[in-house]
Amino acid sequence: MKLAARMEKLPPYLFLELDRIVAEKQAQGYDMINLGIGDPDQPTPSYIVKALQEAAANPANHRYPDYWGSLPFRQAMSQWYQRRFAVTLDPRSEVVGLIGSKEGIAHLTWAMAGPGDVVLVPDPSYPVYMTQAILAGADVYPLPLLAERQFLPDLRNIPEDILRRAKMLWLNYPNNPTGAVAPREFYREAVALCREYDILLCSDLAYAEIGFDGYRAPSVLEIPEARDIAIEFYSLSKPFNMTGWRIAAAVGNSTAVKALGTLKSHLDSGAFTAVQDAAIVALTEDPTPVFTAQNRLYQERRDIVLEALRAMRLTVPTPLSTFYVWFSTPRGMTSSDASRFFVENAQVVVAPGASYGQAGEGWLRISLTTATDRLAEAMQRMKRAMEQLTSI
Ligand SMILES: Cc1ncc(COP(=O)(O)O)c(C=O)c1O
């Protein structure tokens, strides 16, 4: 069977090769510890599960959902933005519900960019920004995220002709995979640039509620002029351990929100209304106890990993947010060689940085979403493997 030509443009799936090796090792009886995938290991808070159970029993919720997200869900999201970021949003025109933010991130590109257009994509980054631009036939212009610039792109270095053709700029802070955060000054600079060149600033705020050492992430919409050119993706997946539930929203510039909602009305029929009802409970109840416990847990794990990697003499920036630790490969290995080294010699899976873009070469990513004792065990194994390496 011959597939569409565009399928050939897609790069190989990030974890495919690693999954194959892990399956092979497990079949040989090895106890593998997978620190590759970022997916919370803690359960969704019970009051949200209970809200879903009740909402699922309501026959009114068994019919097709509202295409744009139910009005109560959009109102709850707008009230959340008011309380959390002091940002006022009109729930009717500035909020659209999504079936997880990945869905909205992917579809927004189809509403905004096509052949001849440029999409500005951080390198390394969450792969969906790039793959959708490729599928939509737009040109991807990578913005390297380098350690010496605290993993913020150098916006002043983008050539004038690229800026003139650019339709979208993707930003994701707190950042996957580097764990970096962005100060408000950076957002101000990005908003000014996007207004000057009429580029849609797309902010992916997936890790908003994870913060260590007192850190709290801002929203790009806190910048007064951002509403002119910015859309932001806010997902319940990571804050409330709801990755399997598929619920999020895109908020901000009404033209972009309308374009995304219109496109989606031709593609899907919205998130299950019972899930939206439970999401309203998540967004309405005081989340402080959940976030406090969660951040304490991730920070404890982060500190175990930082200490171990530093004892291995690897370069490790201290992340203030996300559940990722980004660190240099040992002895100048490529990221895929280093990842394979830890699979073979420590039975630990870490994600190769180059899978997130060329500028990720020389780096690896550890996810903190594994039980603390297993994570500590993985660090011991990696230390032992590194000791063997240095004694060779
Ligand atoms: C940066 C980033 N954006 C978006 C997503 C997708 O989140 P959702 O579950 O809302 O689709 C992820 C998931 O890992 C992510 O890392």
Side-chain angles (χ1 to χ4, degrees):
M1 188 188 295
K2 193 147 170 45
L3 305 182
R6 72 176 73 88
M7 291 300 288
E8 284 160 28
K9 295 185 190 157
L10 285 177
Y13 177 62
L14 185 63
F15 291 109
L16 213 61
E17 173 64 3
L18 279 177
D19 281 354
R20 193 189 59 73
I21 298 171
V22 170
E24 205 176 282
K25 290 273 164 202
Q26 278 171 337
Q28 290 165 14
Y30 286 105
D31 169 31
M32 304 298 294
I33 304 179
N34 192 345
L35 308 182
I37 285 165
D39 189 357
D41 58 315
Q42 299 298 301
T44 306
S46 55
Y47 62 92
I48 303 174
V49 176
K50 190 162 165 278
L52 175 66
Q53 286 165 337
E54 282 165 16
N58 178 0
N61 287 341
H62 301 169
R63 311 191 71 186
Y64 283 120
D66 199 313
Y67 289 109
W68 293 70
S70 73
L71 188 58
F73 171 69
R74 287 184 282 153
Q75 281 165 335
M77 185 56 79
S78 110
Q79 284 155 9
W80 174 269
Y81 258 73
Q82 188 71 57
R83 285 195 306 274
R84 171 68 176 85
F85 303 111
V87 167
T88 307
L89 295 167
D90 174 4
R92 287 187 170 76
S93 63
E94 294 178 316
V95 182
V96 59
L98 302 172
I99 312 170
S101 64
K102 183 179 189 179
E103 176 265 299
I105 288 167
H107 288 143
L108 181 64
T109 305
W110 291 89
M112 290 303 301
D117 298 328
V118 166
V119 179
L120 303 168
V121 178
D123 172 9
S125 68
Y126 180 58
V128 182
Y129 317 138
M130 183 192 66
T131 50
Q132 293 303 316
I134 292 172
L135 285 177
D139 295 329
V140 172
Y141 186 85
L143 304 175
L145 305 186
L146 306 175
E148 57 264 33
R149 287 190 51 85
Q150 287 73 49
F151 303 104
L152 296 169
D154 188 353
L155 300 176
R156 271 164 284 183
N157 217 9
I158 306 170
E160 178 75 21
D161 61 314
I162 295 293
L163 287 171
R164 294 205 179 284
R165 284 172 54 211
K167 298 295 291 290
M168 306 169 82
L169 163 66
W170 283 103
L171 295 177
N172 162 225
Y173 293 98
N175 184 254
N176 174 13
T178 67
V181 298
R184 285 184 180 78
E185 298 79 74
F186 173 75
Y187 280 148
R188 253 188 283 280
E189 192 194 336
V191 166
L193 183 85
C194 288
R195 288 182 83 214
E196 186 180 343
Y197 289 92
D198 194 22
I199 300 168
L200 180 64
L201 195 168
C202 311
S203 164
D204 179 357
L205 199 52
Y207 298 92
E209 309 310 336
I210 304 178
F212 312 131
D213 309 323
Y215 179 77
R216 289 201 89 199
S219 155
V220 75
L221 296 170
E222 291 174 29
I223 309 300
E225 301 80 20
R227 198 180 302 253
D228 295 347
I229 40 80
I231 188 167
E232 189 158 76
F233 291 86
Y234 192 95
S235 171
L236 279 82
S237 284
K238 301 336 193 295
F240 297 101
N241 303 325
M242 289 170 70
T243 51
W245 295 49
R246 316 312 301 133
I247 186 77
V251 306
N253 179 269
S254 57
T255 307
V257 164
K258 188 174 177 190
L260 179 55
T262 305
L263 183 81
K264 275 172 58 58
S265 67
H266 291 274
L267 289 166
D268 63 61
S269 302
F272 182 24
T273 311
V275 169
Q276 297 188 56
D277 283 357
I280 293 170
V281 171
L283 294 170
T284 310
E285 293 281 312
D286 177 10
T288 316
V290 171
F291 293 168
T292 306
Q294 186 159 283
N295 284 332
R296 195 180 302 128
L297 180 71
Y298 288 141
Q299 184 164 335
E300 181 196 349
R301 292 177 182 175
R302 176 200 68 164
D303 292 344
I304 290 170
V305 170
L306 289 183
E307 196 190 323
L309 295 176
R310 286 181 181 148
M312 296 177 219
R313 300 191 179 284
L314 300 171
T315 303
V316 200
T318 304
L320 287 179
S321 177
T322 74
F323 42 58
Y324 302 115
V325 177
W326 187 241
F327 62 106
S328 64
T329 59
R331 286 195 175 179
M333 286 184 195
T334 66
S335 61
S336 67
D337 283 353
S339 172
R340 191 176 290 263
F341 168 81
F342 287 119
V343 165
E344 295 291 347
N345 298 286
Q347 289 74 54
V348 172
V349 180
V350 296
S355 313
Y356 300 90
Q358 271 175 17
E361 187 49 279
W363 295 85
L364 296 165
R365 191 195 79 172
I366 276 179
S367 166
L368 302 173
T369 54
T370 292
T372 310
D373 57 338
R374 292 287 282 168
L375 189 66
E377 158 81 13
M379 291 304 107
Q380 290 308 321
R381 292 191 199 172
M382 285 173 66
K383 256 192 211 168
R384 281 199 294 275
M386 285 291 289
E387 279 157 16
Q388 281 162 16
L389 186 68
T390 40
S391 67
I392 293 168

